[in-house]
Amino acid sequence: MRYVYDFAEGSKENKELLGGKGAGLAEMTRLGLHVPPGFTVTTEACRAFMKDGTLPEGLWAQVSAAMARLEQATGRRLGGGGGIPLLVSVRSGAKFSMPGMMDTVLDLGINELVAKEIAEWAGSDRVAWDIYRRFTQMFGKVVLGAPGEAFEQFLAELRSRRGVEYDSELTADDLREATSRFNELIEATTGKSVPQEPMDQLRAAVEAVFSSWGNRRARDYRHIHGISEDLGTACNVQMMVFGDLGSDSGSGVAFTRDPSSGDATPYGDYLPDAQGEDVVAGIRNTLTLDQLSQLHPEIHAELLTVMKRLEADYRDMCDIEFTVEKEVLWILQTRVGKRTARAAVQLAIDMADEELIDRAEAVRRVDPASLEQLQRPRIDEQAKIEPLAVGVAASPGAAVGSVVFDADRAVELAGHGSRVILVRHETTPDDIHGMAAAQGILTSRGGKTSHAAVVARGMGKPAVTGAAKLEVDEAKGELKVGSTVVIEGDLLTIDGTSGAVYVGEVPLVDPVPAPELERLLSWADEFRALGVRANADTPNDAIRARAAGAEGIGLARTEHMFMGERLGIVQRIILSEDAADRSTALDALRRLQTEDFEGLLEAMDGLPVIVRLLDPPLHEFLPSRFELEQERRERAERGEAPDESLARLEVAVGRWEEHNPMLGLRGVRLGLIVPELYRIQVGAALEALRLRRQAGGDPRLEIMVPLVSTAEELRRVRDMIGEERTALFPDGEVDIPVGTMIELPRAALLAGDIARVADFFSFGTNDLTQTTYGLSRDDAERSFLPFFLEEGIYPNNPFQTIDEEGVGRLVEIGTLEGKAANPGLVVGLCGEHGGDPASIALCHRIGLDYVSCSPPRIPVARLAAAQAALGGSMASAST
């Protein structure tokens, strides 16, 4: 099998085989850009390595041949021996961008002999020993497993002894000392030494890159972003070019457009006299591209030409890494750039207007799940609060949380429900789990393209980077600005839109609607086949949902209307032994419910409103028997006379008590046992319908019966609804569709029988998942589910994305058999899955008529439904 391809042998279409980085290098080579030559070891080789634990047979012969071709193409020789020595970078690159999550080794091929030749070529001992120091440090950590903090600690001590701030200020002798000390640290901590033979270095580095596919940070990143564990990474071997040769050299990262806002202006960082790792590490503050134009106008102009060329070729915003070596521009990498939700929408709209892409592709370009970022609050501009510090506005949005200085601590506190802000000098790939757990990220170092900025934008997290006034002491767990000290647990507010950092909790306001988003969603509506309705229980929710584009209410949960002040009324209906008292309570509840339903029908005038009859476990309406017993004992201890009403209530509650309320007297069962509850709800809904019609409205009421498992249950409640309708509309001038929620496996399996009695089905996938798996969602998420997900026992959280093999199969059976038995049956889905893009795609494939979700997720559902019709999203690698 062929495992190695030169950069000249592929294109951007080969991401599956060459990985995103390798495909980008191949594409740039094909376009004739000034790319350092090299070759890619494929993802197939990585998968074979992961399976067998060793490089596949024949691979190393292919690598050796590729290295010989590289030496011939460059006129340089790995290991030196005359002329300019060849050094290479060894970088990972999976199909989907995973910035910094896997390992890289730079400057490979150096040893003491090569260091002397580099010194002669560069005219600087310092350059040679800086390269040697960097390689030894990186190889020791990445390949041999030496503790990276030991290297950093020594460098910090060395800088302190020399009285300098940056590594770039250390002398050649300092760097020679560091290299020697690093070798001692490596041998002391690992029992191994850095190989002197370059091909031995290369083999070990390739194996380390492949192994890094399975490291913790890479696994965490894939879990967070839904990337398959089976893809593997490619490994790219590329000629090194050097940005640390003096003032005429440097390194940078650039985006063809602004990845935070989507504005059509180049965006990036440049660091003179530096290698690329210095730019993303955030150790030194960078220059802007405008400042690069002042330093090197010809290089800047050439870079802009390259950026335009790549954007036209990819028809998307590109992320580019480049190096200037002695006034020569080299392009090291390109990929479709990660962007915020706001930028993704703006880019899609602008590029469609520019005719780079069509409207269908614009719709596919935006990750539906990312639209929830646009619902985030922002800082109240009227607050008039002075910021503690101002840094780089790296990723928009506001976040409030308790300060933590450690990624593991962030995960721990977030797991207990705390909101946290992760504060670091600069994040590293090892912080990925803490970044995912945090509300926002704050760093004292780094620019617009630092690790923290890029990863935060990809996650949709607010981030402020490079807040240089912050003195962060991670070991002590504090940050200082002047005399102000903030310790772990103190509240901070960060504004990733302006870069401001505030002590305490700053008032936030709702986000401003984006006209660009509604324009994109209007395009989405032209393509989607699925309807999108809202789960809404109040008129305010209904108004919000309609403004967001909902086409009706797919689920109004009436049990949510019974809490608070109304709870006592419901308890009287269930527990009262006095017929007159119960009748009074029923009348009161009917009046309140009429107002509820009238408000919903008015907000959704002309659109369907599905009212689900009562469906809580009964115990949610009743007082606790334990609390009643406790009150009775306390009265006795105080010497008070027994309260007969309390005793009667305790007996009544005991009569209704259940061992497993989730699977007990709820839904249609409660309606058949306590029919008065369902009758007053139906009567109230019909009365609201009548009032809205009298007011000149166009109310479209539908009634849903919950937790049905047999056709006979639905038939009896349907008869009850018919009696109430005849009582209020004796002439039969009103047609009220009656349907059921399919939330039990039996109902899905016998959907044909039930459909003959129903006008519509709505799959309640929250309960259907619970009853299919035989578990309680609350208990599972609190106990074993996180472990099951971490260990890969469950591939996904079944309460977030529909389990296609089990629950999805039941939905498919219920839909197909239901529609076969009743061709006019309307089928929807109203669980939380109704706002999940992957679940929406399944609903489209099965042939449902609509999905229903919470109001904030209406835009998500509209876009996801369109993408399902268009054949999927193109945004997974870029947002």
Side-chain angles (χ1 to χ4, degrees):
M1 179 177 287
R2 186 177 181 188
Y3 291 115
V4 178
Y5 291 79
D6 292 343
F7 291 166
E9 297 182 278
S11 74
K12 64 185 177 185
E13 310 302 330
N14 302 127
K15 290 174 65 176
E16 194 85 40
L17 181 68
L18 304 179
K21 191 170 297 178
L25 288 163
E27 181 71 9
M28 292 193 298
T29 302
R30 187 185 70 80
L31 292 173
L33 301 184
H34 200 217
V35 177
F39 57 88
T40 298
V41 186
T42 66
T43 57
E44 289 176 338
C46 179
R47 289 192 289 272
F49 177 82
M50 290 189 295
K51 178 183 177 183
D52 300 328
T54 185
L55 295 179
E57 185 178 354
L59 169 63
W60 204 245
Q62 295 178 34
V63 169
S64 298
M67 184 58 71
R69 293 193 298 273
L70 181 58
E71 288 178 329
Q72 184 177 9
T74 61
R76 304 181 183 189
R77 184 170 179 272
L78 189 71
I84 304 172
L86 173 64
L87 300 186
V88 296
S89 62
V90 182
R91 298 173 182 262
S92 61
K95 176 181 179 181
F96 299 113
S97 174
M98 296 170 56
M101 297 303 122
M102 293 173 292
D103 288 329
T104 291
V105 178
L106 303 178
D107 305 305
L108 187 143
I110 196 168
N111 52 34
E112 290 206 24
L113 173 64
V114 171
K116 291 177 182 177
E117 294 184 353
I118 290 175
E120 293 175 7
W121 166 68
S124 167
D125 284 345
R126 190 203 172 280
V127 167
W129 281 100
D130 186 42
I131 291 171
Y132 204 173
R133 184 273 306 178
R134 288 173 185 267
F135 167 72
T136 305
Q137 181 177 354
M138 191 172 286
F139 193 94
K141 177 184 176 182
V142 168
V143 179
L144 301 180
E149 58 272 15
F151 300 128
E152 295 297 342
Q153 183 178 352
F154 178 80
L155 286 173
E157 292 170 356
L158 185 58
R159 291 193 301 269
S160 177
R161 278 191 276 131
R162 298 294 182 260
V164 299
E165 186 175 359
Y166 301 115
D167 293 343
S168 59
E169 299 172 286
L170 296 173
T171 66
D173 287 340
D174 294 332
L175 296 167
R176 183 183 286 108
E177 178 187 348
T179 305
S180 175
R181 179 60 180 147
F182 287 176
N183 279 309
E184 292 173 4
L185 285 168
I186 291 166
E187 292 188 20
T189 56
T190 70
K192 303 173 184 177
S193 58
V194 178
Q196 292 298 297
E197 171 55 46
M199 288 301 286
D200 292 341
Q201 295 174 2
L202 180 60
R203 185 179 187 116
V206 170
E207 291 179 342
V209 166
F210 284 164
S211 295
S212 71
W213 175 258
N215 68 35
R216 177 187 172 180
R217 61 181 183 265
R219 293 197 313 271
D220 286 345
Y221 189 92
R222 290 194 293 273
H223 178 70
I224 292 164
H225 293 277
I227 298 172
S228 170
E229 291 290 330
D230 301 327
L231 295 176
T233 180
C235 180
N236 303 285
V237 180
Q238 184 177 30
M239 183 187 82
M240 286 289 302
V241 291
F242 301 97
D244 54 349
L245 301 181
S247 61
D248 61 353
S249 303
S251 296
V253 177
F255 292 80
T256 57
R257 305 195 188 199
D258 189 323
S260 290
S261 67
D263 292 344
T265 53
Y267 175 110
D269 293 323
Y270 177 74
L271 196 56
D273 195 15
Q275 284 204 28
E277 60 181 310
D278 301 330
V279 180
V280 296
I283 295 170
R284 291 158 54 193
N285 288 333
T286 55
L287 305 179
T288 65
L289 295 187
D290 287 342
Q291 290 170 311
L292 171 63
S293 71
Q294 297 167 16
L295 282 176
H296 303 293
E298 292 182 359
I299 293 293
H300 180 261
E302 185 181 355
L303 177 63
L304 291 184
T305 299
V306 168
M307 293 167 78
K308 289 178 181 177
R309 181 92 179 272
L310 286 172
E311 184 170 279
D313 182 63
Y314 277 85
R315 297 183 303 128
D316 206 342
M317 180 193 75
C318 292
D319 171 359
I320 300 165
E321 292 183 15
F322 64 94
T323 287
V324 178
E325 182 186 78
K326 295 184 175 180
E327 297 187 344
V328 175
L329 176 66
W330 293 89
I331 307 300
L332 308 183
Q333 174 182 323
T334 193
R335 59 191 173 195
V336 172
K338 294 188 178 294
R339 72 289 306 266
T340 64
R342 174 188 169 196
V345 172
Q346 188 67 59
L347 288 167
I349 291 289
D350 287 349
M351 289 185 175
D353 288 344
E354 295 164 20
E355 298 185 349
L356 270 176
I357 58 177
D358 60 23
R359 288 187 175 186
E361 190 167 354
V363 167
R364 289 199 297 265
R365 279 276 172 92
V366 179
D367 178 10
S370 74
L371 297 185
E372 293 192 59
Q373 296 174 28
L374 302 179
Q375 307 291 329
R376 289 205 183 108
R378 56 188 176 85
I379 298 290
D380 184 356
E381 297 175 356
Q382 306 302 316
K384 306 294 184 185
I385 298 174
E386 283 296 315
L388 175 70
V390 177
V392 176
S395 185
V400 180
S402 301
V403 170
V404 294
F405 297 88
D406 176 79
D408 290 335
R409 182 68 171 152
V411 171
E412 178 188 352
L413 292 177
H416 290 103
S418 298
R419 299 175 301 165
V420 297
I421 302 293
L422 180 61
V423 180
R424 307 284 282 162
H425 289 301
E426 165 54 11
T427 60
T428 71
D430 289 329
D431 293 321
I432 184 67
H433 56 303
M435 298 175 75
Q439 300 292 309
I441 295 99
L442 170 63
T443 68
S444 59
R445 300 173 182 163
K448 298 174 181 178
T449 60
S450 65
H451 176 268
V454 171
V455 174
R457 283 195 293 270
M459 288 183 171
K461 303 271 184 181
V464 174
T465 61
K469 289 177 65 177
L470 300 179
E471 299 176 37
V472 177
D473 190 327
E474 295 168 355
K476 290 178 66 176
E478 68 175 30
L479 67 85
K480 295 169 61 177
V481 176
S483 60
T484 302
V485 179
V486 177
I487 62 173
E488 180 178 303
D490 289 348
L491 283 177
L492 274 187
T493 300
I494 65 170
D495 184 3
T497 305
S498 69
V501 180
Y502 303 89
V503 174
E505 184 167 359
V506 174
L508 304 180
V509 295
D510 290 336
V512 177
E516 298 84 3
L517 174 59
E518 188 49 48
R519 190 173 172 212
L520 182 74
L521 292 176
S522 70
W523 296 351
D525 292 341
E526 297 172 5
F527 297 109
R528 64 182 169 91
L530 278 170
V532 176
R533 301 185 188 181
N535 299 340
D537 310 324
T538 68
N540 284 340
D541 284 345
I543 291 168
R544 285 175 56 213
R546 187 160 191 163
E551 298 162 321
I553 292 178
L555 174 64
R557 294 156 290 201
T558 55
E559 61 272 9
H560 290 186
M561 305 171 183
F562 281 17
M563 297 304 177
E565 298 176 355
R566 304 180 184 186
L567 186 57
I569 300 175
V570 180
Q571 289 176 354
R572 285 167 59 196
I573 295 171
I574 296 172
L575 300 175
S576 179
E577 297 178 359
D578 184 288
D581 182 53
R582 173 181 282 196
S583 178
T584 301
L586 285 167
D587 288 343
L589 188 59
R590 177 166 177 153
R591 288 193 298 273
L592 293 170
Q593 286 269 269
T594 299
E595 294 174 6
D596 295 332
F597 299 142
E598 190 177 2
L600 291 176
L601 292 169
E602 182 177 6
M604 286 289 173
D605 196 59
L607 297 174
V609 173
I610 296 180
V611 170
R612 183 178 72 183
L613 300 178
L614 194 60
D615 181 32
L618 185 63
H619 76 283
E620 293 185 8
F621 288 147
L622 301 179
S624 162
R625 188 157 67 95
F626 173 79
E627 292 176 358
L628 294 172
E629 290 174 352
Q630 181 72 16
E631 185 176 349
R632 175 166 52 79
R633 284 195 297 269
E634 289 175 356
R635 289 179 66 87
E637 289 171 2
R638 293 195 298 267
E640 299 177 10
D643 186 328
E644 292 184 7
S645 63
L646 187 64
R648 287 196 300 273
L649 182 59
E650 189 176 336
V651 170
V653 168
R655 189 166 61 246
W656 291 102
E657 191 174 43
E658 297 174 292
H659 290 292
N660 189 346
M662 193 191 88
L663 297 176
L665 188 59
R666 51 172 290 206
V668 66
R669 303 159 191 167
L670 178 62
L672 292 172
I673 295 297
V674 190
E676 298 93 331
L677 277 173
Y678 272 19
R679 286 189 179 276
I680 71 103
Q681 285 195 295
V682 172
L686 292 168
E687 177 64 16
L689 176 74
R690 187 181 67 80
L691 292 172
R692 285 299 308 145
R693 292 180 69 178
Q694 288 178 352
D698 181 19
R700 303 193 181 182
L701 173 68
E702 303 182 20
I703 295 178
M704 180 158 64
V705 181
L707 212 72
V708 162
S709 59
T710 71
E712 183 59 24
E713 289 171 325
L714 180 58
R715 183 178 291 109
R716 294 194 180 204
V717 176
R718 183 163 194 145
D719 289 345
M720 182 193 305
I721 293 169
E723 292 167 6
E724 295 296 321
R725 184 185 59 191
T726 299
L728 196 60
F729 298 98
D731 295 334
E733 69 271 28
V734 173
D735 180 37
I736 306 296
V738 176
T740 185
M741 179 175 279
I742 305 293
E743 48 198 322
L744 298 173
R746 189 182 195 281
L749 294 170
L750 297 176
D753 291 343
I754 296 172
R756 295 184 182 94
V757 194
D759 298 310
F760 65 87
F761 282 171
S762 183
F763 286 94
T765 47
N766 295 344
D767 271 351
L768 187 57
T769 298
Q770 292 190 102
T771 53
T772 300
Y773 275 84
L775 54 80
S776 160
R777 174 179 182 171
D778 292 340
D779 292 338
E781 291 187 335
R782 188 169 55 245
S783 55
F784 67 86
L785 188 54
F787 172 79
F788 272 41
L789 295 172
E790 178 71 23
E791 292 295 314
I793 298 171
Y794 289 172
N796 299 292
N797 184 336
F799 295 105
Q800 293 177 0
T801 297
I802 289 178
D803 157 43
E804 289 198 22
E805 294 178 344
V807 177
R809 180 74 179 122
L810 290 171
V811 173
E812 183 175 25
I813 290 169
T815 300
L816 296 179
E817 296 191 2
K819 289 197 170 191
N822 178 359
L825 188 75
V826 177
V827 181
L829 180 146
C830 61
E832 191 62 25
H833 300 99
D836 170 64
S839 302
I840 289 169
L842 175 65
C843 292
H844 174 83
R845 293 198 301 272
I846 290 173
L848 270 66
D849 296 296
Y850 69 87
V851 294
S852 187
C853 59
S854 59
R857 302 184 83 182
I858 296 293
V860 175
R862 291 169 66 189
L863 185 58
Q867 290 182 355
L870 290 168
S873 169
M874 297 173 59
S876 59
S878 61
T879 53

